[in-house]
């Protein structure tokens, strides 16, 4: 009996099970493919190009103010500019300290020096591309995993640090609106901001009241249990979060210790505001204290969208306009904005990319692929 060719056998087997002999089964994506960040598409680049073109057009229409700003920039006081640079450095250290505290609460041990280096490098990545925050978060996540931080803890640190930062900025926005008064942008910001705060407080109180009812709590527990039985991912997330909460409580129990990372998040913004104030001071201009906080906080909202690399053009136009509203001449506002951006963005870019190169290409053994906290990684230093 003649022996059939292996290819013919595979073809008959494929026909027997209803599959085409020429179609191979699709392979699942690898871990690297599954974790790769979403790249900004052509819409991001088109939007960035339009915004940059608008900024250039605006600059040509205000050439007289730009010439005056350039004249002011030649009169900068170097000692006062050093104060602005020191304030920006302190801002980055405070942001790194927030992430370090969260890692410590989860049982991971990283020095403030190492965390600051990671924050400086991640800041450079975030400022290099439109939508760079996604690349920055993915890079920082990988760096934490290389340092034997568990998957859940690394992701939780990024999310919680971002939440604390957004909450502290919202508080500064409300404080700035109260300081600036109801006239001008202050009134336009204060009313909706207080409305949002009131709505969030109402929702929180309603949720707290409902969960104090035994019947509602039992129904919610049954629904979550059924979801966990049906979907394995829900059960894995629940187990990982329970481990993370247990680790955090074992290190820092209660609510009071969380005031420290929240205070550090506030200081992150406060030192950045101090950098702006010092930049104005270095130009020999009177600082518009009444509207400075609101102008800064309002600028951070469109700036955080990263529609252009480092929000170039967006931050400059927004901040210069708001400083003009609160008392500075156009040439003074432009000069102050440019000097602030030099201290808070342009100086940090080469430093951050040099740090990124050193950290990225340093030979390190990857951490084991676990979903729990750092206590589950066998090589985690304690």
């Amino acid at each position: 009996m003649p022996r059939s060719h292996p290819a013919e056998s595979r073809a008959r087997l494929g026909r027997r099970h209803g599959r085409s002999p020429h179609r191979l089964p699709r392979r699942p994506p690898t871990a690297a493919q599954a974790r790769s960040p979403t790249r900004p598409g052509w819409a991001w680049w088109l939007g960035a190009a339009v915004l940059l073109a608008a900024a250039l057009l605006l600059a040509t229409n205000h050439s007289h103010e730009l010439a005056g700003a350039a004249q002011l920039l030649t009169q900068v006081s170097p000692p006062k500019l050093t104060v602005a640079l020191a304030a920006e450095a302190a801002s980055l250290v405070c942001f790194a300290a927030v992430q370090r505290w969260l890692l410590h609460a989860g049982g991971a041990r990283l020095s403030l020096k190492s965390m600051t280096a990671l924050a400086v490098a991640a800041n450079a990545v975030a400022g290099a591309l439109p939508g760079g925050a996604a690349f920055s978060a993915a890079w920082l996540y990988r760096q934490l995993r290389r340092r034997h931080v568990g998957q859940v803890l690394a992701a939780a640190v990024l999310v919680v640090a971002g939440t604390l930062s957004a909450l502290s900025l919202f508080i500064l926005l409300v404080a700035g609106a109260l300081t600036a008064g109801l006239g001008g942008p202050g009134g336009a910001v204060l009313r909706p901001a207080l409305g949002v705060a009131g709505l969030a407080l109402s929702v929180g109180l309603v949720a707290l009241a409902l969960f104090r009812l035994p019947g509602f709590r039992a129904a919610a527990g049954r629904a979550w249990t059924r979801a966990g039985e049906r979907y394995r991912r829900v059960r894995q997330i629940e187990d990982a979060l329970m481990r993370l909460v247990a680790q955090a409580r074992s290190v820092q129990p209660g609510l009071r210790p969380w005031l420290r990372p929240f205070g550090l998040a506030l200081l992150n913004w406060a030192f950045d505001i101090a950098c702006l104030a010092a930049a104005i001071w270095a130009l020999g201009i009177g600082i518009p204290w009444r509207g400075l906080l609101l102008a800064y906080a309002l600028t951070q909202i469109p700036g955080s969208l990263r529609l252009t690399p480092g929000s170039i053009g967006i931050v400059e136009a927004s901040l210069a306009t708001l400083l003009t509203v609160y008392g500075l001449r156009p040439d003074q506002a432009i000069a102050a904005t440019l000097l602030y951006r030099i201290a808070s963005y342009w100086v940090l870019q080469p430093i951050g990319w040099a740090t990124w190169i050193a950290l990225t290409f340093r030979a390190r053994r990857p951490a084991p692929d676990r979903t729990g906290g750092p206590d589950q990684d066998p090589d985690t230093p304690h």
Side-chain angles (χ1 to χ4, degrees), residues 186-211:
V189 169
L190 186 58
R191 295 181 184 90
L194 292 178
V196 171
L199 179 62
L201 181 61
S202 301
V203 171
L205 290 176
V206 170
L208 180 62
L210 288 175
F211 271 95

Side-chain angles (χ1 to χ4, degrees), residues 168-266:
S168 56
L169 179 61
F170 178 77
I171 291 176
L172 290 177
L173 179 66
V174 174
L178 290 172
T179 304
L182 296 179
V189 169
L190 186 58
R191 295 181 184 90
L194 292 178
V196 171
L199 179 62
L201 181 61
S202 301
V203 171
L205 290 176
V206 170
L208 180 62
L210 288 175
F211 271 95
R212 291 181 66 88
L213 299 175
F216 180 84
R217 194 164 57 244
R222 288 193 299 270
W224 182 264
T225 302
R226 285 195 297 269
E229 292 173 352
R230 174 174 291 187
Y231 304 105
R232 187 181 64 174
R233 176 59 66 180
V234 174
R235 188 168 61 252
Q236 291 175 347
I237 292 174
E238 179 186 10
D239 294 341
L241 288 176
M242 292 299 293
R243 287 194 297 268
L244 180 60
V245 170
Q247 290 165 0
R249 286 180 175 176
S250 65
V251 178
Q252 295 284 359
L255 182 61
R256 180 191 290 181
W258 285 88
L259 295 177
R260 182 178 179 183
F262 180 70
L264 289 170
L266 275 174

Side-chain angles (χ1 to χ4, degrees), residues 1 11 17 27 40 96 99 116 120 131 139 174 179 194 207 210 234 246-247 257 278 348 354 371:
M1 180 177 178
H17 291 280
R27 295 183 179 180
Q99 296 177 330
T116 302
V120 171
W139 178 84
V174 174
T179 304
L194 292 178
L210 288 175
V234 174
Q247 290 165 0
L348 294 177
T371 59

Side-chain angles (χ1 to χ4, degrees), residues 92-110:
L92 281 171
V93 172
C94 287
F95 183 71
V98 173
Q99 296 177 330
R100 179 176 179 266
W101 187 94
L102 294 170
L103 288 170
H104 184 271
R109 299 292 187 271
L110 264 74

Side-chain angles (χ1 to χ4, degrees), residues 64-65 68-69 71-72 75 283-286 288 319-337:
H64 179 70
E65 289 85 353
Q71 181 64 29
L72 286 172
Q75 304 171 6
L283 292 168
I285 304 172
L319 185 57
T321 301
L322 289 167
L323 290 177
T324 303
V325 170
Y326 285 107
L328 295 187
R329 297 197 315 265
D331 58 335
Q332 293 176 336
I334 293 172
T337 300

